[in-house]
């Protein structure tokens, strides 16, 4: 059996289900029996040719960002927008000018990454325990063996801890191979700044080092989806990360030409992807004959800090077409075919 576990699949929106289908269909062609394990909220109007198990309480982003799940007040949202979109970038520009080549050394002190409150720590522990419980129940139901492959196409360190706890309970006899794909960057700065940020990421290093025995025995295998990301993760332990290609099943499409140039932002509305800068980008190009199409669905309930107020500002722009819900594969392909410039 080839068991794909993606706790972030709740429906057809986004890339999660499209990715899973491409992988499972290929697994079936190779002679595996495909099995899909998803979030408990999973709902789709289309029948899928796999055995499906709705097993998980939280998505990966909910587990990783549990302390940001409650919907923020508009005032709080505005403050986060001002900090992330205005104040912090201004401080960074001044610091780069003042410290020059030494900026990387002082960055960790200006913006510490390990200032996590006790409440957040307790909530992360709860999410880990919840994931471990869901996974343990699922594996007991599936009764897998060493001939099977379990693939996580989206997983975080929070869930890695839960997986390790589950495997410790089960013992190591007759276990399948668990193949784990990590998608998120660990560092904020450029490559030359990595060494300065490492001390603040000790909890990540501890979790990967705790998996070294299972890695050596071939029970765990680790991947990312790019060379640069694998380079980051390989700094933390003896567990080596390889690169998995993104499954691409779409034929090339002909770009649809328009009178106006179309500038697109596609994907979840996330701070790390620069969403909070979009209102300023639209304003800066207000004198140009361009049209924007922007996907603005939240990746967590209420959105990350500053995202909701940015979306309100974009709603007021005449030359902006907003998609406020996740796009399925067909809608995403159509939006991409209309694009002249991708942000």
């Amino acid at each position: 059996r080839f068991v794909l576990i993606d706790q972030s699949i709740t429906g057809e929106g986004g890339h999660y289900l499209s990715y899973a289908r491409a992988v499972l269909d290929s697994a079936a062609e190779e002679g595996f029996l495909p099995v899909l394990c998803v979030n408990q909220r999973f709902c789709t109007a289309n029948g899928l040719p796999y055995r499906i198990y709705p097993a998980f309480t939280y998505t990966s982003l909910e587990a990783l960002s549990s302390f940001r799940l409650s919907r923020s007040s508009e005032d709080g949202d505005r403050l986060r927008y001002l900090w992330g979109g205005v104040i912090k970038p201004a401080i960074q520009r001044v610091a780069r000018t003042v410290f020059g080549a030494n900026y990387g050394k002082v960055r960790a002190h200006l913006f510490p990454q390990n200032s996590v409150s006790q409440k957040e720590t307790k909530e992360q522990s709860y999410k880990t325990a919840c994931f471990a419980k869901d996974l343990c129940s699922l594996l007991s139901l599936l009764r897998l063996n060493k001939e099977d492959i379990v693939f996580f196409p989206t997983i975080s360190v929070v869930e890695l801890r839960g997986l390790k706890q589950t495997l410790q309970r089960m013992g190591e006899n007759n276990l399948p191979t668990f193949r784990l794909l990590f998608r998120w960057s660990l560092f904020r700065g450029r490559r030359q700044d990595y060494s300065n940020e490492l001390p603040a990421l000790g909890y990540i290093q501890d979790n990967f080092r705790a998996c070294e025995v299972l890695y050596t025995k071939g029970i765990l295998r680790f991947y990312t989806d790019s060379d640069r990301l694998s380079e980051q993760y390989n700094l933390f332990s003896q567990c080596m990360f390889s690169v998995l290609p993104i499954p691409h099943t779409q034929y090339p499409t002909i770009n649809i030409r328009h009178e106006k140039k179309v500038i697109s932002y596609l994907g979840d509305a996330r701070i790390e992807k620069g969403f909070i800068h979009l209102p300023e980008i639209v304003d800066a190009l207000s004198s140009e004959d361009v049209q924007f199409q922007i996907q603005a669905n939240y990746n967590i309930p209420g959105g990350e800090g500053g995202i909701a107020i940015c979306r309100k500002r974009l709603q007021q722009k005449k030359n902006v077409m907003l998609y406020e819900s996740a796009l399925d594969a067909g809608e995403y392909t159509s939006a991409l075919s209309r694009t002249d410039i991708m942000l």
Side-chain angles (χ1 to χ4, degrees), residues 4 6 16-17 50 62 91 116 125 164 172 187 201 206 218 231 296 302 337:
L4 188 147
D6 195 337
Y16 299 108
L17 185 57
Y50 325 116
E62 288 169 348
I91 294 173
V116 182
S125 297
K164 186 173 182 298
E172 298 176 9
F187 297 99
L201 299 172
D206 291 343
E231 180 184 332
S337 70

Side-chain angles (χ1 to χ4, degrees), residues 79-133:
L79 287 173
R80 276 180 287 274
Y81 166 73
L82 289 172
W83 168 251
V86 181
I87 299 173
K88 183 178 177 181
I91 294 173
Q92 289 173 326
R93 286 193 296 270
V94 172
R96 284 194 179 95
T97 302
V98 172
F99 296 103
N102 293 319
Y103 171 68
K105 296 179 181 179
V106 301
R107 179 179 182 142
H109 299 287
L110 289 173
F111 309 109
Q113 288 187 309
N114 58 347
S115 55
V116 182
S117 71
Q118 188 64 27
K119 178 183 177 182
E120 292 165 3
T121 302
K122 288 181 179 178
E123 194 154 6
Q124 294 300 318
S125 297
Y126 170 75
K127 301 294 186 184
T128 295
C130 187
F131 176 81
K133 180 181 178 182

Side-chain angles (χ1 to χ4, degrees), residues 9-146:
I9 296 179
T10 57
E12 295 192 34
H15 68 271
Y16 299 108
L17 185 57
S18 296
Y19 185 106
R21 293 184 69 171
V23 173
L24 289 174
D25 289 347
S26 296
E29 290 177 4
E30 294 296 321
F32 288 93
L33 175 66
V35 178
L36 177 61
C37 305
V38 295
N39 194 278
Q40 293 173 5
R41 287 169 276 167
F42 178 72
C43 180
T44 179
N46 299 317
L48 296 172
Y50 325 116
R51 187 169 293 178
I52 299 176
Y53 295 86
F56 295 92
T57 306
Y58 298 104
T59 68
S60 265
L61 279 171
E62 288 169 348
L64 190 61
S65 308
S66 57
F67 54 90
R68 294 181 293 180
L69 286 178
S70 59
R71 182 177 292 275
S72 306
S73 67
E74 189 166 320
D75 289 340
D77 201 36
R78 185 175 288 109
L79 287 173
R80 276 180 287 274
Y81 166 73
L82 289 172
W83 168 251
V86 181
I87 299 173
K88 183 178 177 181
I91 294 173
Q92 289 173 326
R93 286 193 296 270
V94 172
R96 284 194 179 95
T97 302
V98 172
F99 296 103
N102 293 319
Y103 171 68
K105 296 179 181 179
V106 301
R107 179 179 182 142
H109 299 287
L110 289 173
F111 309 109
Q113 288 187 309
N114 58 347
S115 55
V116 182
S117 71
Q118 188 64 27
K119 178 183 177 182
E120 292 165 3
T121 302
K122 288 181 179 178
E123 194 154 6
Q124 294 300 318
S125 297
Y126 170 75
K127 301 294 186 184
T128 295
C130 187
F131 176 81
K133 180 181 178 182
D134 291 342
L135 181 61
C136 190
S137 298
L138 174 66
L139 296 180
S140 297
L141 183 65
L142 293 176
R143 296 184 180 278
L144 302 175
N145 59 56
K146 62 182 180 181

Side-chain angles (χ1 to χ4, degrees), residues 251-318:
Y251 290 102
T253 57
I254 299 174
N255 187 268
I256 301 172
R257 298 297 176 186
H258 300 275
E259 293 182 5
K260 296 182 178 181
K261 291 290 184 183
V262 177
I263 302 174
S264 299
Y265 169 101
L266 300 178
D268 294 342
R270 302 215 307 261
I271 291 175
E272 68 177 19
K273 295 175 68 174
F275 187 89
I276 58 176
H277 300 295
L278 289 177
E280 282 71 28
I281 293 173
V282 174
D283 289 342
L285 296 175
S286 60
S287 62
E288 303 292 332
D289 195 22
V290 297
Q291 176 74 33
F292 288 85
Q293 59 173 359
I294 296 174
Q295 187 176 340
N297 59 287
Y298 296 142
N299 61 334
I300 56 176
E304 297 177 345
I307 295 295
I309 194 168
C310 282
R311 193 162 84 167
K312 287 182 180 179
R313 291 180 63 189
L314 291 169
Q315 288 169 345
Q316 300 167 8
K317 309 292 184 183
K318 292 183 179 180

